[in-house]
Amino acid sequence: MAARSRVVISGFVVLMSLALLSGSICSAEEESKESVVDHVLTLDHSNFSEIVGKHESIVVEFYAPWCGHCKSLAPEYEKAASVLSSHDPAIVLAKVDANEEANKELAISISVFKVSPTLKILRNGGKLSQEYKGPREAEGIVSYLKKQVGPASAEIKSAEDASSLIDEKKIPLIGLFPVLSGEEFENFTAPSEKLRSDYDFGHTVDAKFIPQGDSSISKPTLRLLKPFDELFVDSQDFHVDAMEEFIAESGVPTVTLFNQDPSNHPFLVKFFDSPDAKAMLFLNFSTDKFDDFKKNYNDVAVLYKGKGLNFLLGDLEASKGAFQYFGLSEDQAPVILVQTSDSQKYLKGNVEADQIAPWLKEYMDGKLKPYVKSDPIPEVNNEPVKVVVRDSIQDVVFNSGKNALIEFYAPWCGHCKKLAPILDEVAVSFENDADVIIAKFDATTNDVPSEVFDVQGFPTLYFRSASGTVVPYEGDRTKDDFIEFIQKNRDTNAKPVSVKSEESAAKSESPRDEL
């Protein structure tokens, strides 16, 4: 039976966005026939370059036929394609089956690694690839894509032009120029084209139309307007790299708020998308001490701005998905957590407002020990599928000398629940085989040894042979397929290896994509 690729959620932002906003990260299991569509072009490895090369811009969905999220998107994508086909100029929507073996190299070539469906906006005949970051329902898709065609920056000639571009909840970037020509103006087009899916760009020769900042501009100026912190900031460095750095640094709040306001979602995405370490303070926003916490936390955020640590302040009510993801409990709040780019965590529960600054200084000075989360080792573990926790994985798996199939799961994941009885059957099949163990690991309440196992979705399955070879299981999830895979990959030459030494070996052999 052909192997089926696992849906991989690549990047901490995708993982957290799903965890925080929907409370669910699961691989889709359903198999179904793809519905016939009329307006969405079907591409594959044989016609992709030819068709994409004919279009100034084209939107391509990379999907898997069995993916539930893809099937939910399909009718909305088709409706949007129907509407956009009559737009002037027409906006073309297409799709590629990324699960098809012949198309996988194509998907990888334009950086499609993450959970299906992935949508890319390809420009200039495919020379420029941008992530689609808009809505997933038809009306929203249409509205978003209409803004993605034509000039990347709109000329502002009147107050009406300015008001149509500038939204008090968004971050527009305005190029202010004495004349619309010259090196600075030409350079301005580079980030506006590259970042148009993230920001609205405009340009003008009359700064009086812009509601914030000095209107008497004598030389080219890039002005970023924002609904937080100092409300606007100017730069007069028009080197392309400098502009992109200026936008990246100035376009995020000093402290990102995570509450019930949906307008904060774009800033949350940028926060979690950052490669920097992340400090997160969660508390009840209605507490009497909230103002003290907010002030102290903001002061520390200003102190460490630009030093590789970003800050988020989350309300308990809105942060339930985050608590679930990090395995926290509400009785730990107020709780401050730092997660580094290599997934190490540092945590202080029931923190007081005046403890924030000294605790973060200890973190910055390298004086804190990482927090490793583990459930208690079960006293009784006599079910066919053995329970493994972080504190027992070394003894039960790495030092056991056994061939182990390990499921990393989340208790709330429906697909994990469907898989459970199948793994029970597999475990019963190996009951009399002392060299094989079938195990499960709750990845929401235990820290995964991330240098050994790359867990970015649920369920994720790995097989570790008795001699220490670790491979992901990406086949079909039936009893027979699991048994066949184990028999093919098992060995009897056991050599116990500790978690520490396996993590060290993983680091030395190859770099790892970080969450």
Side-chain angles (χ1 to χ4, degrees):
M1 191 174 290
R4 175 179 57 74
S5 294
R6 158 175 86 89
V7 174
V8 177
I9 302 177
S10 174
F12 189 59
V13 58
V14 177
L15 185 61
M16 282 305 299
S17 291
L18 291 175
L20 300 180
L21 301 176
S22 69
S24 176
I25 307 171
C26 293
S27 300
E29 300 294 326
E30 303 89 340
E31 298 282 346
S32 71
K33 293 183 179 179
E34 183 184 347
S35 59
V36 177
V37 297
D38 297 321
H39 297 94
V40 177
L41 299 182
T42 299
L43 308 183
D44 60 25
H45 69 287
S46 66
N47 64 2
F48 185 87
S49 297
E50 178 186 357
I51 293 178
V52 170
K54 292 178 180 178
H55 295 89
E56 182 63 27
S57 65
I58 182 171
V59 182
V60 183
E61 174 203 5
F62 291 84
Y63 72 98
W66 44 263
C67 170
H69 297 302
C70 303
K71 290 192 286 186
S72 296
L73 175 64
E76 300 298 319
Y77 196 61
E78 167 62 20
K79 290 177 189 174
S82 176
V83 173
L84 293 170
S85 65
S86 59
H87 184 267
D88 187 17
I91 301 173
V92 180
L93 272 59
K95 63 178 182 177
V96 172
D97 181 351
N99 192 58
E100 183 69 35
E101 192 66 37
N103 295 332
K104 289 182 178 178
E105 186 175 342
L106 164 64
I108 291 172
S109 71
I110 55 174
S111 302
V112 176
F113 304 110
K114 62 188 180 183
V115 62
S116 294
T118 294
L119 284 81
K120 293 281 187 175
I121 302 173
L122 305 179
R123 304 183 190 278
N124 301 331
K127 295 177 182 177
L128 178 62
S129 172
Q130 295 174 316
E131 196 83 15
Y132 172 91
K133 298 179 180 179
R136 297 295 176 100
E137 41 78 29
E139 185 177 348
I141 293 171
V142 170
S143 176
Y144 182 88
L145 289 178
K146 282 183 177 180
K147 296 179 180 179
Q148 299 301 310
V149 298
S153 178
E155 185 175 359
I156 299 172
K157 298 180 179 179
S158 65
E160 290 74 18
D161 291 341
S163 63
S164 66
L165 177 70
I166 298 170
D167 185 321
E168 63 179 12
K169 292 186 177 181
K170 294 184 179 180
I171 305 176
L173 287 118
I174 313 298
L176 307 172
F177 302 96
V179 292
L180 299 182
S181 61
E183 181 181 0
E184 289 89 350
F185 182 72
E186 294 301 320
N187 285 355
F188 174 72
T189 62
S192 62
E193 189 66 47
K194 182 178 179 179
L195 301 174
R196 66 188 295 171
S197 62
D198 296 308
Y199 302 95
D200 292 327
F201 285 83
H203 56 273
T204 185
V205 294
D206 196 339
K208 73 181 181 184
F209 297 133
I210 311 307
Q212 302 284 352
D214 187 2
S215 61
S216 57
I217 296 298
S218 60
K219 60 182 180 178
T221 299
L222 177 60
R223 178 166 297 167
L224 183 147
L225 308 180
K226 49 186 177 177
F228 50 80
D229 298 344
E230 66 270 55
L231 300 184
F232 80 93
V233 59
D234 288 348
S235 172
Q236 295 177 333
D237 188 341
F238 276 82
H239 292 92
V240 174
D241 289 345
M243 281 190 288
E244 291 185 8
E245 183 177 347
F246 164 74
I247 294 169
E249 290 182 358
S250 303
V252 294
T254 301
V255 175
T256 299
L257 277 183
F258 182 29
N259 53 20
Q260 302 285 10
D261 186 353
S263 66
N264 285 329
H265 180 234
F267 308 128
L268 286 169
V269 170
K270 292 181 187 300
F271 174 84
F272 287 115
D273 198 29
S274 169
D276 292 336
K278 297 163 180 66
M280 294 164 274
L281 174 63
F282 298 105
L283 73 159
N284 187 338
F285 279 16
S286 62
T287 180
D288 293 339
K289 298 181 179 180
F290 174 72
D291 289 340
D292 291 336
F293 275 97
K294 184 177 181 181
K295 180 184 183 304
N296 287 13
Y297 195 59
N298 190 76
D299 289 345
V300 176
V302 171
L303 178 65
Y304 292 125
K305 188 167 185 175
K307 297 183 179 179
L309 183 62
N310 295 335
F311 289 78
L312 176 143
L313 181 61
D315 181 31
L316 275 185
E317 185 62 30
S319 306
K320 290 180 179 179
F323 268 61
Q324 185 182 65
Y325 174 77
F326 288 115
L328 302 173
S329 59
E330 292 191 11
D331 60 8
Q332 291 175 280
V335 57
I336 186 167
L337 170 78
V338 172
Q339 178 151 346
T340 64
S341 58
D342 61 357
S343 299
Q344 285 192 320
K345 290 188 283 291
Y346 301 82
L347 182 144
K348 183 173 178 60
N350 303 120
V351 66
E352 296 291 342
D354 60 2
Q355 295 174 332
I356 293 172
W359 187 82
L360 283 170
K361 185 178 187 305
E362 285 190 75
Y363 163 76
M364 296 297 287
D365 291 343
K367 295 180 180 179
L368 296 181
K369 290 183 179 180
Y371 166 76
V372 179
K373 179 177 59 178
S374 178
D375 285 332
I377 298 175
E379 295 181 6
V380 178
N381 202 1
N382 54 12
E383 295 297 322
V385 177
K386 304 306 177 187
V387 174
V388 178
V389 299
R390 177 59 190 256
D391 286 346
S392 69
I393 194 168
Q394 180 172 341
D395 292 334
V396 177
V397 177
F398 294 111
N399 289 346
S400 67
K402 297 180 184 290
N403 300 281
L405 179 72
I406 314 163
E407 177 204 14
F408 295 91
Y409 74 98
W412 39 259
C413 173
H415 302 302
C416 303
K417 293 176 184 177
K418 291 179 183 178
L419 181 60
I422 298 172
L423 290 181
D424 282 339
E425 291 180 15
V426 175
V428 169
S429 299
F430 286 100
E431 252 182 343
N432 297 320
D433 191 329
D435 292 329
V436 174
I437 181 174
I438 311 300
K440 61 182 180 180
F441 185 103
D442 185 344
T444 67
T445 56
N446 296 274
D447 282 338
V448 176
S450 58
E451 296 303 333
V452 182
F453 304 110
D454 186 17
V455 178
Q456 300 187 34
F458 302 124
T460 292
L461 293 110
Y462 275 91
F463 180 80
R464 181 192 182 275
S465 71
S467 59
T469 301
V470 178
V471 293
Y473 179 83
E474 296 184 333
D476 286 339
R477 292 170 185 164
T478 68
K479 173 186 172 182
D480 291 342
D481 284 297
F482 280 121
I483 291 174
E484 180 183 351
F485 179 86
I486 292 169
Q487 297 289 22
K488 179 181 178 180
N489 289 276
R490 66 180 293 176
D491 60 48
T492 56
N493 299 319
K495 183 180 179 182
V497 183
S498 70
V499 173
K500 183 176 180 181
S501 62
E502 287 213 4
E503 289 178 344
S504 299
K507 288 180 180 178
S508 63
E509 287 173 6
S510 62
R512 172 182 168 273
D513 289 335
E514 297 171 350
L515 285 178

